[in-house]
């Protein structure tokens, strides 16, 4: 990620998704978690549907792959993911919720190996998974601001797992639908799933919710900026920088969430929070050590190509090699 535009977009996405946890915390003060999540998707669905209509894009799914992607994204990546995460965050602070969800990139390759059977598992993957789990456990068992809320940690872990599973399943199908139409269908499917779940769980409907000004502001921010805008930014960066680069957003987001949680909500930043997050980051690096190493290669190669050669060096097809020169027979000016 060397272009200024990409770095700025990455920073905006980290800010939007990090502050989303703060907005969720504010909305949960008066809104039921499942209904709150459903209303967030309602707003995003309207925006995506409007974009499809304005762009006159094809919107009808035609193939089985289209339907499979809509259901996978709508029920797992969006619906179940938000269901577990919103309910889970009702038990823990916004910073802890963001940190636990940063476990997603660690569990994703493990699920991919199991479901797709396209890669082998390395010892670094196993060690990384164990280290990441150790970070989650360190946070879950800590006292302080968490008060032993293991249920919330468990629900957030479930959110990470269903998101990773849905993301992996999408690799099995190639959509014929335009991307914007696929997003619209996914948001609609997720919203329907969450409304049905909220009603089945507690009989909650939008009419029964307590709509305070702060709850409306939080919902508006989540629906427009964090969901519709955030997903558009995410997929833009995914196309521009690649999956490994954009996966780092999972570790920028908790930092933003922790800062805003402390400043705006007065949440405590404990030693267990910092230590647990550090272990999760180490776990991510171990699980992704090969693609992360490859990210450093283009930069180093470019620097190697651009620098001036030394007297005993030669460049062949972009690679620089040392040569052995006999100082007694060195070329003289005019030779």
């Amino acid at each position: 990620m060397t272009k200024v535009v990409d770095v700025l977009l990455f920073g905006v996405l980290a800010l939007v998704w990090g502050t989303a946890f703060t907005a969720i915390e504010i909305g949960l003060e008066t809104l039921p978690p499942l209904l709150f999540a459903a209303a967030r998707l309602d707003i995003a669905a309207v925006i995506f549907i409007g974009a499809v209509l304005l762009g006159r894009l094809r919107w009808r799914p035609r193939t089985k792959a289209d339907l499979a992607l809509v259901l996978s994204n709508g029920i797992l990546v969006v619906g179940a993911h938000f269901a577990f995460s919103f309910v889970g965050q009702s038990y823990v602070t916004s910073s802890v919720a963001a940190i636990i969800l940063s476990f997603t990139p660690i569990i994703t390759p493990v699920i991919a190996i199991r479901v797709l059977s396209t890669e082998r598992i390395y010892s670094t993957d196993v060690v990384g998974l164990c280290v990441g789990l150790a970070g989650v456990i360190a946070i879950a068992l800590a006292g302080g601001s968490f008060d032993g809320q293991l249920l919330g940690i468990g629900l957030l872990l479930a959110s990470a797992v269903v998101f990773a599973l849905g993301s992996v399943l999408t690799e099995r199908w190639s959509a014929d639908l335009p991307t914007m139409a696929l997003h619209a269908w996914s948001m609609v499917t997720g919203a329907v799933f969450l409304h049905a779940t909220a009603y089945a769980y507690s009989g909650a409907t939008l009419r029964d919710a307590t709509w305070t000004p702060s709850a409306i502001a939080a919902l508006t921010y989540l629906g427009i900026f964090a969901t519709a805008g955030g997903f558009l930014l995410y997929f833009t960066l995914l196309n521009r920088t690649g999956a490994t680069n954009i996966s780092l957003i999972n570790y920028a987001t908790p930092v933003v969430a922790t800062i805003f949680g402390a400043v705006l909500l007065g949440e405590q930043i404990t030693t267990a929070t910092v230590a647990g997050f550090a272990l999760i980051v180490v776990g991510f690096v171990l699980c992704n050590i090969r693609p992360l190493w490859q990210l450093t290669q283009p930069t180093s190669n470019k620097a190697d190509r651009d620098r001036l050669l030394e007297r005993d060096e030669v460049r062949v097809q972009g690679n620089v090699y040392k040569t052995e020169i006999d100082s007694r027979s060195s070329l003289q000016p005019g030779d």
Side-chain angles (χ1 to χ4, degrees):
M1 196 182 302
T2 57
K3 295 182 179 179
V4 175
V5 174
D6 294 339
V7 174
L8 289 176
L9 290 176
F10 185 91
V12 171
L13 181 59
L15 179 64
V16 170
W17 276 2
T19 51
F21 288 93
T22 307
I24 292 172
E25 198 74 20
I26 293 172
L28 286 174
E29 294 177 0
T30 56
L31 297 175
L34 293 174
L35 189 64
F36 187 17
R40 172 183 183 174
L41 294 185
D42 290 339
I43 295 174
V46 170
I47 294 173
F48 280 115
I49 291 171
V52 170
L53 295 177
L54 288 174
R56 297 183 179 180
L57 303 175
R58 184 174 60 81
W59 60 273
R60 292 182 181 178
R62 293 179 178 176
T63 65
K64 291 182 179 179
D66 285 343
L67 291 173
L69 281 168
V70 166
L71 292 175
S72 177
N73 283 335
I75 295 177
L76 293 175
V77 176
V78 178
H81 164 59
F82 280 151
F84 285 124
S85 64
F86 272 62
V87 177
Q89 191 172 331
S90 66
Y91 291 96
V92 301
T93 62
S94 60
S95 58
V96 171
I99 290 172
I100 298 302
L101 288 179
S102 69
F103 185 73
T104 303
I106 298 177
I107 195 65
T108 299
V110 177
I111 294 176
I113 292 169
R114 186 68 179 173
V115 174
L116 300 180
S117 301
T118 55
E119 300 180 12
R120 55 170 293 189
I121 190 166
Y122 295 87
S123 58
T124 51
D125 298 324
V126 177
V127 175
L129 179 63
C130 293
V131 172
L133 279 173
V136 173
I137 292 171
I139 295 174
L141 296 181
S145 61
F146 310 124
D147 298 326
Q149 297 292 350
L150 297 179
L151 176 59
I153 301 291
L155 290 170
L156 288 161
L157 270 179
S159 176
V161 170
V162 296
F163 184 91
L165 176 60
S167 300
V168 168
L169 288 176
T170 60
E171 296 293 327
R172 304 180 63 174
W173 305 291
S174 297
D176 190 43
L177 272 174
T179 302
M180 193 66 68
L182 179 61
H183 290 342
W185 275 110
S186 299
M187 295 299 162
V188 170
T189 304
V192 171
F193 172 83
L194 284 169
H195 277 293
T197 305
Y199 185 79
Y201 178 72
S202 61
T205 63
L206 291 175
R207 291 185 303 174
D208 303 327
T210 303
W211 295 103
T212 63
S214 59
I216 293 174
L219 177 60
T220 302
Y221 179 79
L222 288 171
I224 297 175
F225 296 99
T227 309
F231 273 99
L232 287 175
L233 268 177
Y234 175 83
F235 285 105
T236 299
L237 278 169
L238 181 63
N239 292 331
R240 290 174 62 94
T241 67
T244 303
N245 267 316
I246 192 58
S247 67
L248 298 176
I249 196 66
N250 293 278
Y251 301 96
T253 298
V255 175
V256 175
T258 300
I259 293 172
F260 275 83
V263 173
L264 299 181
L265 305 177
E267 296 177 351
Q268 296 181 7
I269 303 176
T270 67
T271 303
T273 305
V274 177
F277 181 51
L279 287 172
I280 292 173
V281 172
V282 172
F284 167 79
V285 172
L286 289 171
C287 286
N288 295 273
I289 194 166
R290 287 169 299 281
L292 287 174
W293 169 253
Q294 291 172 1
L295 287 180
T296 65
Q297 301 310 300
T299 302
S300 59
N301 289 342
K302 182 179 185 302
D304 208 31
R305 287 196 306 270
D306 293 344
R307 72 176 177 84
L308 295 176
L309 296 179
E310 299 293 336
R311 182 170 175 270
D312 60 342
E313 292 177 337
V314 62
R315 182 179 286 115
V316 179
Q317 294 184 346
N319 298 314
V320 177
Y321 300 94
K322 290 283 186 179
T323 62
E324 294 183 2
I325 297 178
D326 188 345
S327 59
R328 292 172 300 177
S329 60
S330 58
L331 294 176
Q332 298 297 321
D335 286 351

